[in-house]
Amino acid sequence: MEISFNYISTFVSLIYGLAMAHALTCIAEYIQNFKKIKNYWVWWIWAIFLLLLSNGFWISLYHIWHDLESWKVSYIVFITFESCLFYLIYYIFFNHLKDMSDNDLKKEFYENKTLFFSLLVVAMICMLNISDIIIGKLSIYESFYKFPPYPALVAFILIFTKNHKIHAILATLLTGFALIDFLLN
């Protein structure tokens, strides 16, 4: 199919932009109403991680798909799926103040953690591993060797963990590693 990557990236950019706009709107509401909400520092760490992840996903999208000359409909569907998944993750994690119960970030985090982390696992594996496999850049083994699924494994563990200390430690470690990775690369 003769479709330019620029055309596809523009479409995907709209979905990413909607997710970022939603997140930033919610963050602005929280900052404006800082005294009215019950803050939870682990929630803020994950918010930072998601903002970093958006940059990483955007860079990965270009890196993986930009030089593809022949497009299949399945590629477009897969990229759209990844982008929609990204939007859903943001929409589940960032709630408008009027949609929060008791204006409590901790309560919101633990109510939505299973769905949030489940979608995060799928999104990470799709972006870091399956994309390269689909277009034939890497085999399954090469993909998981090049990008070990450690962040996805951490998110997978957090789906089932109710321990607040484990959530705090893993959120801090994962966000710290993401921040260091962005600063070094």
Side-chain angles (χ1 to χ4, degrees):
M1 184 179 292
E2 295 296 322
I3 297 177
S4 167
F5 176 73
N6 293 333
Y7 180 76
I8 294 166
S9 67
T10 301
F11 173 67
V12 170
S13 295
L14 292 172
I15 300 169
Y16 273 76
L18 286 171
M20 289 299 293
H22 176 76
L24 294 174
T25 301
C26 291
I27 289 171
E29 283 181 16
Y30 299 163
I31 292 170
Q32 289 173 334
N33 298 289
F34 196 74
K35 292 181 180 178
K36 293 180 185 177
I37 63 172
K38 296 174 190 166
N39 281 291
Y40 183 48
W41 70 273
V42 174
W43 183 95
W44 285 100
I45 295 291
W46 279 113
I48 291 167
F49 176 79
L50 286 174
L51 295 175
L52 292 171
L53 187 69
S54 69
N55 292 315
F57 274 14
W58 182 246
I59 292 166
S60 294
L61 181 75
Y62 177 80
H63 178 72
I64 293 167
W65 299 93
H66 80 281
D67 59 352
L68 200 63
E69 292 179 18
S70 178
W71 284 86
K72 297 178 182 177
V73 173
S74 60
Y75 297 166
I76 298 167
V77 169
F78 184 75
I79 290 174
T80 303
F81 170 75
E82 282 182 334
S83 304
C84 291
L85 198 57
F86 180 80
Y87 179 83
L88 289 173
I89 290 167
Y90 269 58
Y91 196 80
I92 289 165
F93 187 80
F94 295 98
N95 289 320
H96 288 288
L97 204 55
K98 64 179 171 58
D99 297 329
M100 290 175 59
S101 57
D102 301 328
N103 292 343
D104 187 348
L105 289 177
K106 186 175 187 176
K107 184 177 179 182
E108 289 292 315
F109 178 78
Y110 288 104
E111 282 178 1
N112 297 322
K113 80 171 182 67
T114 302
L115 184 56
F116 167 70
F117 286 116
S118 298
L119 294 175
L120 189 61
V121 167
V122 174
M124 287 179 174
I125 290 174
C126 283
M127 182 59 74
L128 297 176
N129 302 104
I130 296 176
S131 294
D132 282 328
I133 295 167
I134 284 177
I135 60 175
K137 278 188 176 179
L138 300 172
S139 69
I140 293 173
Y141 173 78
E142 291 169 328
S143 174
F144 284 95
Y145 180 75
K146 183 177 179 184
F147 298 109
Y150 300 128
L153 182 60
V154 168
F156 184 76
I157 290 168
L158 293 175
I159 292 170
F160 304 102
T161 302
K162 294 180 182 175
N163 187 310
H164 295 215
K165 289 180 184 178
I166 291 174
H167 275 274
I169 291 167
L170 293 178
T172 305
L173 287 174
L174 198 58
T175 304
F177 286 131
L179 189 57
I180 289 168
D181 186 47
F182 277 106
L183 294 174
L184 295 178
N185 290 325

